[in-house]
């Protein structure tokens, strides 16, 4: 989300509006360390628009360098990229905003990679668009759509527990519907089993299956966590406020770095000052802030969606992969920047 005010004129806004200058937005922000990207994707096909939005990572355990990235062009559909950033597939899915995926899901009788996207083709009725990702061909196949509730689809994340598989679809007004998914048959089905609520516009989310916690960013308010169990309490706990210090609104994408049985970090995009903030999962404590700055590859700014997965991704990303949408990709259309988790750990001084 980008706010426009009357300062100087930029083409991204109207003739009387522009983005708030970074210096205005970060006057009280805490210092941030710097990292550089080791890779980037081909720009999305929609030019001169806020189009690229959210990435999801699939790790190929047998051949880490052959892992894949799914990314949204929220004006057009879904891309599949290799770690070299090249397009492996594009599926015209219309206005899909956020995306998540999960491996090992029963899909029409066989285990596979399920991809879920928040479908906002009808702004008054949210849908969850479901796809299967073929790891051998990097192709996406549409499985169908399930109902996400009344309102405009925005964020999405997938979680599972002993009771089943769930998609959490975040509607633009802050409503979060927990949808039980069944993709075991020829046609997927979904059923809203619980509704959670934040007060204002929300989008990014991530589920920690280990601790049954759901993390959601309320853009102008801060980062929250919920009990992710369908039978759990619905009251949110605030982890951080978007007060312009550690976290600068808009709070956007959310991603988790799980370490051990229940520790690790939750990261959130501090879009208002082009930074990313880390909090410790065990006690919600603030850990630090970083930015992806220009290097051999350009940095990332005005980031919407992020994703993070630990583990070996080959020689470029041996300890894990962090991906951030880049809202200002020089003269090209928007794309996604690829950062080594090891670089972030070193810059923040995290335990290794």
């Amino acid at each position: 989300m980008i706010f426009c005010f009357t300062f100087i004129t930029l083409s991204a806004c109207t003739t009387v509006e522009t983005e708030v200058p970074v210096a205005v937005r970060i006057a009280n922000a805490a210092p941030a360390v710097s990292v550089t990207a080791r890779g980037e994707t081909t720009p999305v096909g929609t030019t001169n628009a806020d189009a690229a939005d959210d990435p999801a990572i699939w790790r190929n355990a047998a051949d880490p360098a052959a892992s894949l990235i799914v990314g949204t062009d929220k004006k057009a559909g879904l891309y599949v990229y290799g770690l070299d950033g090249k397009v492996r597939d594009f599926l015209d899915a219309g206005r899909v905003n956020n995306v998540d995926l999960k491996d090992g899901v029963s899909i029409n009788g066989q285990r596979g990679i399920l991809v879920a996207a928040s479908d906002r083709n009808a702004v008054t009725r949210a849908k969850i668009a479901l796809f299967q990702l073929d790891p051998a061909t990097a192709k996406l196949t549409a499985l169908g759509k399930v109902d996400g509730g009344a309102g405009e689809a925005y964020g999405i994340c997938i979680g599972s527990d002993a009771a089943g598989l769930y998609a959490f679809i975040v509607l633009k007004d802050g409503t979060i519907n927990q949808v039980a998914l069944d993709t075991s048959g020829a046609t997927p089905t979904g059923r809203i089993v619980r509704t959670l609520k934040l007060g204002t516009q929300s989008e990014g989310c991530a589920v920690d299956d280990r601790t049954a916690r759901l993390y959601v960013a309320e853009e102008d308010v801060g980062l929250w966590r919920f009990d992710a169990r369908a039978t759990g309490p619905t009251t949110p706990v605030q982890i951080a406020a978007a007060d312009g210090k550690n976290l600068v609104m808009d709070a956007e994408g959310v991603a988790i770095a799980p370490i051990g049985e229940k520790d690790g970090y939750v990261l959130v995009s501090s879009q208002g000052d082009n930074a990313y903030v880390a909090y410790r999962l065990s006690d919600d404590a603030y850990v630090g802030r970083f930015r992806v700055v220009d290097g051999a590859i350009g940095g990332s700014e005005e980031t919407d969606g992020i994703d993070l997965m630990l583990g070996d991704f080959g020689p470029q990303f041996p300890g894990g992969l962090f991906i951030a949408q880049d809202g200002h990709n020089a003269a090209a259309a928007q794309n996604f920047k690829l950062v080594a988790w090891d670089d972030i750990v070193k810059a923040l001084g995290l335990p290794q």
Side-chain angles (χ1 to χ4, degrees), residues 319-344:
L321 175 63
F322 172 80
I323 302 179
Q325 180 259 6
D326 182 11
H328 294 290
N329 185 34
Q334 295 177 345
N335 72 345
F336 301 93
K337 297 299 194 286
L338 282 58
V339 181
W341 173 245
D342 288 352
D343 292 344
I344 297 170

Side-chain angles (χ1 to χ4, degrees), residues 52-57 69-72 97-101 156-157 203-207 215 217 223 247 250-257 265-271 274-279 290 292 300-309 321-327 335-339 341 344:
D53 196 278
D54 192 42
I57 302 167
I69 302 159
V70 180
T72 60
N97 198 59
N98 280 19
V99 65
D100 198 8
L101 61 79
I156 197 164
C157 48
E203 183 175 4
C205 68
V207 182
Y215 296 84
L223 180 65
L247 184 59
D250 299 338
E252 291 275 350
V254 179
I256 293 172
Y265 307 96
V266 57
L267 275 63
V268 60
S269 168
S270 178
Q271 191 190 75
N274 304 326
Y276 311 91
V277 191
Y279 300 91
F290 67 95
V292 182
S300 58
E301 299 83 29
E302 296 284 358
T303 294
D304 286 324
I306 60 175
D307 199 14
L308 169 62
M309 183 172 285
L321 175 63
F322 172 80
I323 302 179
Q325 180 259 6
D326 182 11
N335 72 345
F336 301 93
K337 297 299 194 286
L338 282 58
V339 181
W341 173 245
I344 297 170

Side-chain angles (χ1 to χ4, degrees), residues 10-155:
L10 294 181
S11 59
C13 302
T14 69
T15 57
V16 295
E17 295 177 322
T18 186
E19 299 168 19
V20 181
V22 171
V24 173
R25 288 179 287 176
I26 65 172
N28 298 313
V33 298
S34 297
V35 299
T36 55
R38 296 192 184 187
E40 65 179 330
T41 66
T42 300
V44 298
T46 302
T47 59
N48 300 315
D50 181 23
D53 196 278
D54 192 42
I57 302 167
W58 174 74
R59 179 176 173 269
N60 187 331
D63 184 5
S67 300
L68 299 171
I69 302 159
V70 180
T72 60
D73 178 334
K74 61 188 176 186
K75 311 290 187 183
L78 291 168
Y79 283 91
V80 180
Y81 305 95
L83 292 187
D84 60 1
K86 295 180 180 179
V87 175
R88 299 288 300 279
D89 189 31
F90 173 75
L91 185 65
D92 181 358
R95 299 176 70 237
V96 287
N97 198 59
N98 280 19
V99 65
D100 198 8
L101 61 79
K102 198 169 191 65
D103 202 350
V105 175
S106 177
I107 303 174
N108 196 15
Q110 295 185 330
R111 294 286 172 181
I113 306 165
L114 180 69
V115 176
S118 53
D119 186 306
R120 60 197 294 197
N121 286 294
V123 295
T124 59
R125 195 75 198 182
K127 296 290 184 181
I128 300 171
L130 298 171
F131 310 85
Q132 183 170 4
L133 175 62
D134 184 334
T137 64
K139 301 296 183 184
L140 288 166
T141 301
L143 300 174
K145 299 180 182 182
V146 300
D147 184 49
E152 184 175 357
Y154 224 41

Side-chain angles (χ1 to χ4, degrees), residues 197-250:
K197 190 72 175 73
L198 292 174
T200 61
Q201 184 166 307
S202 306
E203 183 175 4
C205 68
V207 182
D208 188 347
D209 287 342
R210 305 168 308 158
T211 58
R213 286 180 170 179
L214 166 70
Y215 296 84
V216 185
E218 186 178 3
E219 295 188 359
D220 293 347
V221 178
L223 180 65
W224 301 84
R225 61 174 167 84
F226 291 88
D227 190 314
R229 297 170 297 175
T231 57
T234 59
T235 303
V237 174
Q238 189 174 58
I239 294 172
D243 58 5
K245 296 178 181 178
N246 295 335
L247 184 59
V248 180
M249 66 179 191
D250 299 338

